Amino acid sequence: MWKPRAVDHALSVLLFCSLFALASAQGSKTNAWKTLTGSPPVVIARGGFSGVFPDSSYAAYSLVGETSGNNYIAWCDVQLTKDSFGICIPDIKLDNATSIAQAFQNKSQTYLVNGAPVRGYFSVDYNLKDLSNVILVQGVYSRSNDFDGNLFSILTVDELVKETKPPALWLNIQHDAFYTQHNLSMRNFVLTVSKRVVVSYISSPEAGFLRGIVSRFNAKTTKLVFRFMDKDVVDPSTNQTYGSYLKNLTFIKTFASGILVPKDYIWPVDGNLYLQPHTSLVADAHKAGLEVFASNFVNDVPSAFNYSYDPLAEYLQFIDNGDFSVDGVLSDFPITPAEAVGCFALLGANAKKTINTTVISKCGASGDFPGCTNKAYEKAISDGADVIDCPVQMSKDGTPFCLSSADLIESTTVAQTRFARLAKSIPEIKSGTGIFTFSLTWKDIQTLTPSISSPYSKFKLFRNPKYDKSNINFLSLSDFLDLARNKTSLSSVVIIIENAAYLAEKEDLSVTDAVMNTLSKAGYDKTGAPRVMIQSTNSSVLMKFKGKTNYERVYEIDELVGDAVVSAVNDIKSFANSVVLQKKSVYPTNSDLFLTVSTKIVTTLHHANLSVYAQTFSNEFVSQAWDFFSDPTVEINTFVQEGLVDGVITDFPKTANRYRRNKCLTMGDNMPVYMLPVQIGGLLQAVPKGYLPPASAPLPPLKESEVKEPPLPSASPSPTPSGSSAGNNSAAQSPKNAQVKVTISFLLSPLAVLVACLLL
């Protein structure tokens, strides 16, 4: 177990307290890698784990080893103090990453940096001792600043090596020309420090600097890497643009063994954030004998829509695309490239599942296409979902069909049509106004244009805006069942029924009978038919199916509960085979989105032989607690390995399906640290008391009174529409399960609101 060492100002603050159990995973050399040497790509941790803790802090460097194994390289952006000490600070201006503006108020200066005037605080104006009361802070506003109160001191290069003992060290010298203007020598610094510590890599965007030191280093010990900036930017040491260097890689080879380039040099992205064909840069550089390292990888800034907000997919695009592999990646979140290299790369298209966790779609692959459309379902199936879902809604003429909500506004452009006049308020179904499915005929609904859901649009995080709109349509329940029957990869379908009582009482529509009749007509009630799951938040709905069918029944607890009393569990067992929980019922978070505790609800339900599925797993980083490092794979892994859920419900089935095929899950005691579940509450322990929000009350247990419901009574007969398999019985209103409704949202955190500001 790792034990934090004392940090400056006597603030050990528990920091990580074994956020993960220590393990190691040594990458093995293999000819399958298309890197220059055939070795696995290296993971370079920019400023440590700067996606969580302040860049270049003791905490950030220490967390890398705790989460990303022992094959990483610690990156330090070197700045020089007035008395020639090399310190690790991410930018030549100290303002954004430190508290210097508070420590030395009104002391900012204006200097020329690469020929342009820049105002701020610069290390050249301060001795190392002057900076002893300056602390490192989180400089990216979309990330939590709750750790700033730990008062992390600025580290010298020597302190970084002595205190955190990284396996390898990378020094980036960004502004040699600037320091030379101030009579400080980066050349002397790197030559001197390399005598005290092993420096594995030295990079710089100034060719003149690297040419001046190349003869002083043994390439077998220290590799020199030329760093490319934007193509139209000029190298101050040669007055050449970085774009021009691309035409002369053999020149770079005379003083460097590799190049570090922004990732869009390799995979360009157009103005709409879609990938373009890759360039020949990696192949050209490898031909010239140069290694290629790619930069600008972060989990919490949107990249190309092609990756569906999955950072792991992006890393795999650069290291395992069939054509080439970069030789390393520079990342703020080193756990993700570590798992990419160690667990997911080189698996092949037909990799077998290593665990049996069930992957259930959420309105199909609704992260990539409009939910509940033919294309969303086809994508979910091709992405490896075991179960596809149909949330059943009813049209005015009694046709059951698949749609995420009874309100058409949420998933169509109905508000821009002549049906906008049908808007009304139905408090029993939702707050506010809506245009409801049972106000339109199925023929009318088929004329509507589907729209893709973007649940995190408040953060400017939109889903696949340029999806293929040709031949896209909603499916009736009958069409959905026909689609599923012909897909042998599916193990089941889940039919979700809500608002049954309202439809019976107020609209004279029996959704339960409509579903039963459609399933029967499609042959799903016969021996050998595909497995059917019926899901509802209403026990009365499931009781009705229990009495008339042999379908598996799934009880959804849509409120947050931390456990369940014995009588409630026994009641659930009387009508259900499995349960769906909200993610926060398994792992609650505080108002700042840190995990607090692990509840007992999954264990309680398992003891009653009830399977447990959790929802909803999305790829967007704002949907996850900070503890999951803005990586949906880390989240899924924790729910499966530590939370012991039997399945995940997701709008991005591809991410979940890929997870259960990774080779690290079969390693047992040798499982690498980056594939271990996070320690619940580990990051919260690193937040100083003054930064903690008020403690939340424990989640209440589910009670029997919140489960029991009266049976659904019969409704008056209604005619079956032409071409529809809907039935003609309906039901009365029944209460939903659990406590009074609680709005579950990731949009409430003050920290999360900052994301929107950053992305404006």
Side-chain angles (χ1 to χ4, degrees):
M1 178 178 292
W2 177 82
K3 295 180 180 179
R5 36 172 91 238
V7 296
D8 293 338
H9 308 287
L11 288 172
S12 58
V13 203
L14 293 174
L15 289 179
F16 329 116
C17 295
S18 295
L19 289 171
F20 291 75
L22 266 179
S24 65
Q26 298 289 343
S28 58
K29 186 171 181 178
T30 167
N31 292 329
W33 288 107
K34 295 181 180 295
T35 55
L36 178 65
T37 64
S39 297
V42 297
V43 174
I44 312 155
R46 196 190 67 81
F49 208 134
S50 53
V52 175
F53 289 109
D55 194 309
S56 305
S57 65
Y58 169 83
Y61 286 120
S62 298
L63 183 59
V64 183
E66 291 297 311
T67 60
S68 308
N70 60 0
N71 280 340
Y72 71 93
I73 302 169
W75 166 286
C76 167
D77 281 293
V78 181
Q79 316 300 335
L80 289 181
T81 63
K82 189 176 182 179
D83 48 353
S84 297
F85 282 92
I87 57 175
C88 299
I89 299 284
D91 189 71
I92 192 170
K93 287 176 57 180
L94 308 185
D95 315 31
N96 193 48
T98 75
S99 65
I100 194 166
Q102 290 74 48
F104 297 94
Q105 296 183 23
N106 304 316
K107 298 291 185 180
S108 61
Q109 300 289 333
T110 299
Y111 292 124
L112 289 178
V113 180
N114 294 345
V118 176
R119 187 164 187 82
Y121 289 83
F122 297 84
S123 60
V124 295
D125 293 322
Y126 303 93
N127 291 323
L128 182 62
K129 186 176 180 180
D130 298 330
L131 299 176
S132 61
N133 292 323
V134 176
I135 64 169
L136 295 164
V137 299
Q138 180 56 260
V140 180
Y141 297 124
S142 63
R143 297 170 185 171
S144 174
N145 65 353
D146 283 356
F147 304 112
D148 292 355
N150 287 298
L151 309 182
F152 297 119
S153 297
I154 295 172
L155 295 177
T156 65
V157 173
D158 295 84
E159 288 170 337
L160 160 62
V161 174
K162 181 180 178 181
E163 295 185 12
T164 68
K165 295 180 173 56
L169 178 64
W170 185 310
L171 300 182
N172 181 58
I173 312 301
Q174 193 71 15
H175 295 286
D176 171 62
F178 172 81
Y179 290 104
T180 300
Q181 293 168 11
H182 291 267
N183 299 315
L184 294 168
S185 175
M186 274 291 186
R187 181 180 186 276
N188 288 344
F189 170 75
V190 296
L191 292 176
T192 301
V193 77
S194 63
K195 295 176 181 178
R196 299 191 300 269
V197 302
V198 177
V199 180
S200 301
Y201 296 85
I202 298 174
S203 62
S204 177
E206 298 180 18
F209 172 73
L210 295 177
R211 294 177 73 187
I213 66 172
V214 61
S215 63
R216 302 296 299 273
F217 286 94
N218 183 342
K220 293 182 179 179
T221 303
T222 303
K223 296 182 179 181
L224 302 188
V225 178
F226 182 59
R227 186 178 192 182
F228 279 71
M229 308 308 290
D230 290 343
K231 294 178 181 178
D232 57 349
V233 173
V234 174
D235 175 355
S237 70
T238 63
N239 291 323
Q240 293 188 50
T241 64
Y242 291 99
S244 68
Y245 282 129
L246 292 173
K247 303 174 184 177
N248 199 1
L249 295 176
T250 54
F251 166 66
I252 295 174
K253 178 61 179 173
T254 64
F255 60 85
S257 60
I259 58 176
L260 172 65
V261 300
K263 61 187 179 183
D264 60 4
Y265 268 58
I266 300 169
W267 282 98
V269 177
D270 66 18
N272 295 314
L273 292 183
Y274 285 89
L275 284 178
Q276 301 301 293
H278 68 75
T279 68
S280 63
L281 176 58
V282 176
D284 295 342
H286 282 174
K287 185 177 180 180
L290 291 166
E291 291 184 298
V292 181
F293 305 94
S295 64
N296 298 350
F297 287 92
V298 292
N299 290 4
D300 55 357
V301 175
S303 189
F305 285 113
N306 307 67
Y307 303 129
S308 300
Y309 291 99
D310 183 353
L312 179 57
E314 181 177 25
Y315 288 107
L316 291 172
Q317 183 86 347
F318 281 80
I319 67 173
D320 186 20
N321 57 58
D323 294 328
F324 63 83
S325 171
V326 297
D327 300 276
V329 292
L330 177 63
S331 174
D332 291 18
F333 294 84
I335 187 174
T336 307
E339 67 192 25
V341 173
C343 299
F344 291 94
L346 309 182
L347 292 180
N350 299 316
K352 295 181 179 180
K353 291 188 290 185
T354 56
I355 56 173
N356 293 320
T357 303
T358 302
V359 175
I360 305 173
S361 73
K362 183 76 170 182
C363 302
S366 54
D368 295 308
F369 286 98
C372 298
T373 59
N374 56 325
K375 291 196 173 181
Y377 289 125
E378 289 163 359
K379 182 72 163 58
I381 295 168
S382 66
D383 284 348
D386 301 303
V387 182
I388 57 174
D389 65 309
C390 174
V392 174
Q393 312 300 335
M394 295 292 286
S395 67
K396 183 178 182 179
D397 51 348
T399 300
F401 67 99
C402 306
L403 198 66
S404 62
S405 167
D407 181 8
L408 291 163
I409 294 176
E410 296 182 16
S411 51
T412 75
T413 58
V414 67
Q416 285 78 54
T417 71
R418 61 189 175 90
F419 301 115
R421 59 185 173 78
L422 299 177
K424 58 185 176 181
S425 175
I426 305 178
E428 298 95 325
I429 293 181
K430 61 169 289 184
S431 60
T433 59
I435 301 173
F436 296 94
T437 61
F438 41 80
S439 297
L440 282 73
T441 65
W442 174 233
K443 184 177 181 180
D444 291 335
I445 292 169
Q446 289 178 296
T447 67
L448 300 176
T449 301
S451 60
I452 194 166
S453 171
S454 290
Y456 306 105
S457 58
K458 286 188 178 181
F459 303 111
K460 308 300 181 185
L461 300 179
F462 299 96
R463 291 177 171 178
N464 195 16
K466 294 185 70 175
Y467 65 86
D468 183 5
K469 298 176 175 61
S470 62
N471 302 314
I472 189 168
N473 53 269
F474 294 117
L475 300 182
S476 68
L477 177 57
S478 178
D479 292 336
F480 169 83
L481 295 173
D482 288 343
L483 171 68
R485 177 185 288 278
N486 297 321
K487 303 298 182 181
T488 57
S489 62
L490 293 175
S491 64
S492 182
V493 295
V494 57
I495 311 300
I496 303 170
I497 299 175
E498 299 298 337
N499 305 314
Y502 175 87
L503 290 170
E505 281 190 331
K506 302 298 176 69
E507 303 298 332
D508 229 14
L509 295 169
S510 175
V511 61
T512 52
D513 285 355
V515 168
M516 282 190 232
N517 292 342
T518 305
L519 285 166
S520 179
K521 185 176 180 180
Y524 275 70
D525 59 348
K526 295 180 173 60
T527 302
R531 175 171 164 241
V532 176
M533 303 162 71
I534 304 295
Q535 178 179 321
S536 181
T537 58
N538 294 117
S539 59
S540 54
V541 169
L542 300 181
M543 285 296 292
K544 185 167 184 179
F545 275 85
K546 179 184 179 182
K548 297 185 177 181
T549 70
N550 291 320
Y551 305 135
E552 181 177 337
R553 297 169 301 281
V554 184
Y555 185 51
E556 179 184 346
I557 303 175
D558 58 346
E559 270 64 59
L560 300 184
V561 294
D563 202 351
V565 300
V566 173
S567 57
V569 174
N570 289 338
D571 198 23
I572 293 172
K573 287 185 64 177
S574 70
F575 60 80
N577 312 98
S578 53
V579 173
V580 169
L581 296 173
Q582 308 307 309
K583 290 192 303 184
K584 285 190 176 182
S585 285
V586 183
Y587 296 128
T589 64
N590 67 8
S591 59
D592 281 356
L593 298 184
F594 289 102
L595 297 179
T596 55
V597 297
S598 178
T599 68
K600 300 178 180 179
I601 184 65
V602 175
T603 300
T604 297
L605 295 172
H606 277 170
H607 284 166
N609 293 320
L610 291 164
S611 298
V612 178
Y613 310 110
Q615 68 174 15
T616 301
F617 289 84
S618 298
N619 284 356
E620 291 92 343
F621 71 95
V622 293
S623 73
Q624 302 147 20
W626 296 113
D627 306 67
F628 299 128
F629 308 128
S630 301
D631 184 340
T633 298
V634 174
E635 181 182 41
I636 293 170
N637 183 53
T638 300
F639 272 82
V640 171
Q641 287 204 61
E642 204 274 346
L644 301 179
V645 298
D646 300 287
V648 295
I649 299 172
T650 174
D651 31 20
F652 294 94
K654 187 173 185 176
T655 300
N657 180 46
R658 186 208 301 119
Y659 161 73
R660 59 188 180 168
R661 296 174 191 275
N662 88 75
K663 57 193 174 189
C664 293
L665 293 175
T666 62
M667 293 183 178
D669 293 340
N670 295 318
M671 184 178 291
V673 64
Y674 40 79
M675 197 44 60
L676 295 176
V678 303
Q679 181 188 345
I680 308 306
L683 279 183
L684 188 61
Q685 296 178 53
V687 178
K689 287 185 178 180
Y691 284 68
L692 289 170
S696 303
L699 293 180
L702 184 68
K703 300 176 182 177
E704 182 181 9
S705 60
E706 297 161 339
V707 176
K708 282 188 173 297
E709 294 178 353
L712 292 173
S714 300
S716 58
S718 58
T720 300
S722 175
S724 168
S725 57
N728 57 8
N729 292 328
S730 56
Q733 179 72 29
S734 298
K736 281 196 173 185
N737 60 43
Q739 297 79 28
V740 177
K741 274 277 189 182
V742 177
T743 301
I744 302 172
S745 175
F746 287 91
L747 308 181
L748 301 179
S749 168
L751 290 169
V753 172
L754 292 174
V755 180
C757 298
L758 179 69
L759 299 176
L760 286 175

